[in-house]
Amino acid sequence: MTLVPALRRASVAAILFLGASAAQASVAFHVTVVTERVVKPGVKTSLPARETQESDVVLGPHYLSVRDGMSLSMFDFATRRRYLIDTAAATYDGYSLFDAVGFRAIELRHRQGIAGMLQAGKLEQHATLPVYEEQALSVLAPRRRGALTPQVLDGAVLWSLDGQPLLRLGIAGSPVSGADATAFAQFLRYTWGGHPLVLKMLADGKRIPADFTLHYQEVGGTATRHFRIGAMTAGAPATYSLAAYRPRPLAAGASALERVLAQASLLPPLSPQAHPALRTEAERLFAAEKPFEAFLTLLEDHFSTGALVDKLTPQQQRAMQECQPIHDLTRALLAKDKGGVAAALAAVQEARTQTGMQQPVLALFEGNLRAKLGQWPEATALYLQVLQAKPHMAAVYQDLGDALLAQFDAPNAWRSWDAGRAMAPGLRQFRKVNDFERSLLADYPAFFMDAMADQPSTSRPASSTNTAGSTNLP
């Protein structure tokens, strides 16, 4: 190699990291993504060998939007919400940003478990390399990683990790502000993935590349995605509005889950009279010498309003202490080993037979015991049964969300948790999901990074009345 080409290639690598001399406002661009797959001999797959997707992207202050045909995805980092919009039907569905990273964190552990089983069965050739799991999910596994290593090519730099190619980055591109570069990395993170180290490098580079390639490993083969960025313009709208759209209505054959979650989003706040009414009903049952039924009513009050089972008269306390079904139920709910939980399940089912299969608290407890046994679809069905009859039992939305997440339905899990927390934000049952969200914020902060967090937010969530301001939505 002569000296001049060597210097020219070295300058290519240096140029990739030059910052913009003048910060731009928000930007919009068109992206073409061509995916090419190479499948190992003997592997059957329904995925095409080559496919192309065209998208229009807007990197706005505090938000980004991605349009694919008649589908428009909106990510709002100020409110930590995302919206999937059907522009043809003028409807949208709203979700939490937490569901994306929550699912990916769980999926990474799931894939690591599968890789461990394949390794134990000496089938390592069918496992995906850890670095490519991180590339696909944009989350890091809990292990030490080295640095990205560059290899200078003609007009590009190939970046690898642990000897595996991840990013081929072309020299051409447009200088942008640090906020816009961070937003561009967010676009990749939420749509096509990208290794966290690759995304950080792109965000720090203050440049939107004109072309680049991401490398992936899939089950049974490899994939490469070639990106071309064009029609780039500055000065994207500062705000967005959903005023031209309405929440997607329920279809005629909507599932019980969809009906329950849609109903929950429309429920008015629980009446201040809910607690006194339930307490009055419990007093009536005590007076009728039905302490077990009174106990279940007190629990319904707690799961709905958060009220504690307290302020009982000495006579009521004695009636509960002498009630054998209460002792049987509480003992059953404390079971921990599989055999004990199975016996507890039988006991609760018997109690439901005696009390009535529609009794909501006992149906909830049966659902919880089935969840302990890993019977997630059965548990889900019981939680939905309770919420169809008692939609204001806020604590049940926590259990329903847990069951949905265990079945890898993260979007609906967060819809359920959000519904319950909106009804009773102080309910102690939601401490677990609150802690989970705090851990996601701490462990994966890049997913929630607002590129312009140091400036006042102008983003606007769904509104049917406030339509002032520019918008990138039709």
Side-chain angles (χ1 to χ4, degrees):
M1 180 185 296
T2 63
L3 179 60
V4 173
L7 288 174
R8 185 167 60 246
R9 293 190 181 191
S11 67
V12 169
I15 288 172
L16 297 177
F17 298 99
L18 291 179
S21 59
Q24 295 181 352
S26 304
V27 297
F29 56 86
H30 182 82
V31 58
T32 302
V33 183
V34 179
T35 300
E36 297 179 331
R37 295 182 175 88
V38 178
V39 180
K40 294 179 181 177
V43 175
K44 295 182 179 180
T45 179
S46 60
L47 297 174
R50 180 184 175 90
E51 59 182 328
T52 301
Q53 183 167 328
E54 308 277 350
S55 303
D56 291 298
V57 180
V58 176
L59 308 179
H62 314 285
Y63 75 91
L64 69 88
S65 70
V66 183
R67 180 189 298 276
D68 303 314
M70 303 306 293
S71 176
L72 178 63
S73 297
M74 178 66 61
F75 302 84
D76 187 329
F77 299 100
T79 62
R80 293 175 183 159
R81 297 288 295 169
R82 64 185 180 90
Y83 302 96
L84 183 59
I85 301 168
D86 182 338
T87 56
T91 61
Y92 69 86
D93 290 296
Y95 301 95
S96 170
L97 281 186
F98 281 102
D99 66 47
V101 63
F103 170 79
R104 296 191 198 192
I106 292 172
E107 175 65 10
L108 182 63
R109 292 196 293 270
H110 175 66
R111 294 188 185 186
Q112 289 175 315
I114 291 176
M117 290 187 289
L118 292 173
Q119 186 175 11
K122 298 183 179 180
L123 299 171
E124 296 95 328
Q125 69 272 22
H126 296 291
T128 305
L129 294 175
V131 67
Y132 286 114
E133 304 286 14
E134 297 170 333
Q135 173 91 327
L137 299 172
S138 297
V139 295
L140 285 172
R143 57 180 294 177
R144 296 189 63 180
R145 283 278 179 224
L148 291 170
T149 57
Q151 178 187 356
V152 178
L153 308 173
D154 287 331
V157 177
L158 180 66
W159 293 92
S160 301
L161 184 63
D162 294 349
Q164 305 300 321
L166 294 179
L167 169 69
R168 185 186 187 279
L169 190 59
I171 185 174
S174 301
V176 294
S177 68
D180 288 338
T182 297
F184 179 75
Q186 283 289 47
F187 153 66
L188 291 176
R189 179 176 286 111
Y190 275 96
T191 53
W192 299 103
H195 195 281
L197 296 181
V198 166
L199 297 179
K200 183 179 186 305
M201 182 179 68
L202 291 172
D204 292 343
K206 296 184 178 180
R207 177 175 292 272
I208 293 181
D211 65 274
F212 60 99
T213 299
L214 290 174
H215 296 264
Y216 304 83
Q217 185 184 67
E218 298 177 344
V219 176
T222 61
T224 55
R225 289 195 171 95
H226 309 282
F227 295 76
R228 293 197 64 84
I229 309 294
M232 191 166 170
T233 59
T239 62
Y240 74 91
S241 170
L242 298 179
Y245 305 93
R246 59 192 175 98
R248 180 174 59 85
L250 281 175
S255 66
L257 174 62
E258 275 298 318
R259 291 197 302 272
V260 164
L261 294 180
Q263 174 183 253
S265 68
L266 300 174
L267 284 176
L270 192 63
S271 168
Q273 299 304 312
H275 167 58
L278 285 166
R279 192 55 188 257
T280 298
E281 174 63 10
E283 297 287 344
R284 185 190 69 78
L285 291 167
F286 274 123
E289 298 183 352
K290 295 182 178 180
F292 185 56
E293 289 79 357
F295 176 61
L296 295 176
T297 301
L298 291 171
L299 289 177
E300 180 184 341
D301 184 18
H302 171 66
F303 294 143
S304 301
T305 69
L308 299 176
V309 181
D310 59 359
K311 298 181 181 178
L312 300 176
T313 67
Q315 294 82 359
Q316 292 169 344
Q317 293 179 33
R318 184 165 56 252
M320 289 179 60
Q321 291 168 357
E322 295 173 354
C323 180
Q324 190 60 43
I326 292 178
H327 290 292
D328 293 341
L329 176 62
T330 54
R331 184 168 54 252
L333 295 175
L334 293 174
K336 297 186 181 301
D337 62 277
K338 188 173 182 179
V341 173
L345 177 59
V348 170
Q349 288 174 322
E350 176 62 23
R352 291 187 69 198
T353 301
Q354 298 296 324
T355 308
M357 297 301 290
Q358 299 305 313
Q359 212 295 322
V361 175
L362 290 178
L364 168 62
F365 288 157
E366 180 178 341
N368 290 344
L369 290 168
R370 289 189 179 277
K372 286 185 178 181
L373 293 172
Q375 299 174 6
W376 297 112
E378 295 84 354
T380 299
L382 285 160
Y383 298 143
L384 292 174
Q385 175 188 319
V386 174
L387 290 172
Q388 285 172 315
K390 300 285 185 178
H392 273 112
M393 275 184 69
V396 185
Y397 293 96
Q398 168 68 48
D399 296 318
L400 175 60
D402 289 351
L404 293 171
L405 190 62
Q407 297 169 86
F408 297 95
D409 187 355
N412 283 327
W414 256 274
R415 287 178 67 194
S416 184
W417 290 332
D418 287 345
R421 286 183 289 185
M423 293 178 195
L427 207 62
R428 65 177 181 83
Q429 280 83 355
F430 291 112
R431 292 175 186 171
K432 182 171 65 172
V433 68
N434 292 338
D435 290 342
F436 184 31
E437 288 183 348
R438 279 191 286 268
S439 72
L440 293 175
L441 284 167
D443 296 340
Y444 309 102
F447 276 87
F448 308 99
M449 185 178 297
D450 188 339
M452 301 185 68
D454 58 330
Q455 301 180 24
S457 173
T458 56
S459 291
R460 193 167 62 246
S463 171
S464 60
T465 56
N466 187 1
T467 58
S470 58
T471 174
N472 65 299
L473 306 184

